[in-house]
Amino acid sequence: MIAEPGQHPVNGLDDVVHQRVRLGILTVAHQARRVEFGFLRTALGLTAGNLSQHLAVLEKAGLIDVEKGYEGKRARTWLSLTPAGHRALQDEVTQLKRLIHQIEQGGSESGS
């Protein structure tokens, strides 16, 4: 099956979302509704600095909200998906399913 130029499912992947760590962040946040920074750092096996950099990218893109506060006397940071974050994650999953379906069907959209 030959697709129109530029229509390969991989072209629908979002570079902000698709990066492994950011996809993990969005997935955990989606499952948890609201996730604490330390839990996320441990769950994804990241350093605090590395996680902070990825959170900054996602926040700048409008995909997450970051909330800082206290739990008892300890400072905490929580994050949750924005409506745009939910849509971006769903769009990414849809594109990945298209790509997987193409591979499983043995189809080639490259024309070779």
Side-chain angles (χ1 to χ4, degrees):
M1 173 163 91
I2 300 174
E4 295 295 317
Q7 295 301 309
H8 191 280
V10 78
N11 292 329
L13 298 175
D14 182 324
D15 289 339
V16 171
V17 175
H18 191 72
Q19 196 281 341
R20 179 186 62 83
V21 171
R22 293 191 291 264
L23 184 57
I25 292 167
L26 295 175
T27 301
V28 172
H30 171 75
Q31 294 169 324
R33 304 284 184 227
R34 183 173 182 244
V35 64
E36 197 269 328
F37 182 92
F39 174 83
L40 195 55
R41 183 179 46 79
T42 301
L44 298 176
L46 302 171
T47 64
N50 190 260
L51 177 56
S52 292
Q53 289 179 335
H54 286 289
L55 293 179
V57 170
L58 292 171
E59 187 176 28
K60 184 177 178 182
L63 302 182
I64 62 167
D65 282 326
V66 176
E67 174 189 347
K68 295 184 182 274
Y70 288 88
E71 189 174 273
K73 294 182 179 184
R74 297 184 66 186
R76 298 282 188 205
T77 301
W78 295 275
L79 64 108
S80 56
L81 291 184
T82 63
H86 282 285
R87 283 190 304 277
L89 180 60
Q90 185 57 52
D91 290 347
E92 192 71 11
V93 169
T94 298
Q95 291 302 318
L96 288 169
K97 285 179 180 177
R98 285 184 59 216
L99 187 60
I100 290 166
H101 177 75
Q102 177 181 318
I103 291 167
E104 287 177 341
Q105 297 305 309
S108 170
E109 293 191 7
S110 67
S112 55

